[in-house]
Amino acid sequence: MKRVVPIGPYHPLQEEPEFFKLQVEGEKVVGLEINIGYNHRGHEYISPTLTWDQAIFLVERICGICSNSHPFAYVCAVEDLAKIRVPERAEYIRTIVDELQRIHSHFLWVGLAGHFMGYNTVWMWFWKYREHLLDLLELITGNRNHYAMMKIGGVRRDIREEDIPAIEKTLNLLEEKTALFTRAVLDDPVIRARLEGVGILTTQDAIAYGVLGPTARGSGVAIDVRKDDPIAAYSWIPWDMIVFDDCDLFAKAKVRLLECLESVKMIRACLERMSPGDILADVHEIPPGEGIGRVEAPRGEVFHYVRSDGSNMPVRHKVRAPSYMNVASNVAAVKGCTIADAVLVLASVDPCYCCTERIMVMQDGKQMGDGEYLIKLSQKTTETLKTRYGDPESKLRGLM
Amino acid sequence: MKKPKLRELGEAVRALVKGPYTVNFPRVPSPAASGFRGIMVFEEEKCIVCGACAEVCPAGARELTDSLGNKTRRITHHQERCIYCGLCEAHCPWKAIHHTEEYDLAQLTRDNYDTFVEKELLMCEICGGPIATREQLLWIARTAGELAYANPTLAFLLHQDIEGVETTLPLGASRAYRSDHLRLLCPTCRREVYLQEIWGY
């Protein structure tokens, strides 16, 4: 007999609102219904009310963890639009900050995965050394989490020559500890027992759901924006894409852990090749037109689209975060697991709901999902925001 | 299977010898890295209350308010709304606002977060509306060099500042008249005065 076990809307583990309905037969999960949309914040509407330079700080706050990837994708989109050439040193600095952020995000995930398994030692280890990483980001960018580094045409801060020994020192420590913990985690019988063969997302399913990032690479799909469509310094430095075709949770953990080591290698290569020079191109005006930016965030590809009418604000700004694709794949991955494993499977895609949220409405326990209703609701939200932020509709009307 | 346990043992022994990894904050200070984007502070003597920071702030943490009764203009920084992006620091023409390396933000009431700079506001001699702060107009006059003499408001201010000359004339007719162009005027009244002189209305 089928029964439904609800997880959420306030998740017992991850501090984000999402709602999973696990359909179970005894201990076994036979189906999953996903409801997201508790966290709609109207970023795409607020963005056209800010200037090109101000919008960077808004998109930075789409996600607290990939807080470099979103501005990075946004500035890439604007540079694509305005055909701006970014100085070489700025490209290297962008790569360094992006890779540091990737290590910090993967450490966070591995730590949390340990915590979800009840293996708090792993959690403490990884978060202990993640602290060194945050200190390093603070030294380079001036902030621990919202780096405010990206600027249209370059970066806001240079990496000071006198900071390089400190960076090298932290990198050495990180490399040593990551290697140690990677081996410790991968050899641990408890972790292997919990992760191996659990939450299988086959390669066909991965392609069918269009998953991105480590989720795809753990299922044998070799996609990575850094290789496929290289931006910044990714095509200038040597690095390997980590792909495993075991398709289980263990493969995803391996991808993330080994990517950390790969990132340390990339940062070293960037520091070596970096030569003194400008960090900011001359940007005067953003011409009318449209542009896209694709960046490999720790969770997968972040996509930004901007359209300009030649004024000092974007008229349309569209964001697609990787979790939007990845979360849906849980339906395939979670089938056949036990309830205890399901929690881990749902967390395995490293979901980030605040990046992802579009909108969904529940009324009397029923989903009000039809398109027309959503459009009406969207118009209502727009009205509310309009009273708060003023009216950019006149600008939009000219383009529609 | 034994080897991984040994490796973990090394880490455990190190933790045992070194004690807790955390810092006993706030008893032991934990300074931020140099260049940290911390609490913002104004330098009152440098600030000219031009409002450039209020223009660029993406979070609306700056507020420009005029007090017509006291003839002052005030720029308020709402610390609790600040997102520490550093745009105002980058755009301030006088480098009068900057990040400190302080990060202890706890306050008991919300009012304690506000810091402000207040400067004298010059009023239009005809309509009594605000023009700009004295220091901002002087800055414009000095930056413009000899071009400042194209605008009597700026020229008078410059002379007042250099020579201490009192230029205020008694008000003549109730309407704007040609002699009024030698006064401190807001842009609207200045246009009115010149149109009066050229076309007589």
Side-chain angles (χ1 to χ4, degrees), chain A residues 140-160:
Chain A
I140 295 175
T141 69
N143 273 346
R144 275 165 62 90
N145 250 317
H146 291 301
Y147 314 120
M149 258 318 238
M150 295 296 152
K151 188 169 183 178
I152 295 162
V155 287
R156 275 174 219 278
R157 283 194 183 197
D158 203 351
I159 292 181
R160 288 165 293 191

Side-chain angles (χ1 to χ4, degrees), chain A residues 179-193:
Chain A
L180 171 72
F181 291 150
T182 306
R183 273 178 288 149
V185 166
L186 298 186
D187 289 346
D188 195 282
V190 180
I191 295 178
R192 286 188 88 106

Side-chain angles (χ1 to χ4, degrees), chain B residues 27-67:
Chain B
R27 251 169 263 153
V28 180
S30 174
S34 66
F36 179 68
R37 293 190 172 110
I39 296 172
M40 312 274 339
V41 288
F42 283 117
E43 284 183 40
E44 193 165 356
E45 62 278 10
K46 280 189 189 172
C47 182
I48 57 171
V49 197
C50 60
C53 50
E55 279 292 317
V56 295
C57 183
R62 293 293 153 71
E63 201 184 358
L64 205 60
T65 40
D66 289 346
S67 165

Side-chain angles (χ1 to χ4, degrees), chain A residues 54 132 138 142 147 157 187, chain B residues 7 14 21 33 35 37 56:
Chain A
Q54 287 175 335
H132 289 278
E138 185 182 297
Y147 314 120
R157 283 194 183 197
D187 289 346
Chain B
R7 280 198 297 262
R14 199 169 300 135
Y21 180 71
R37 293 190 172 110
V56 295

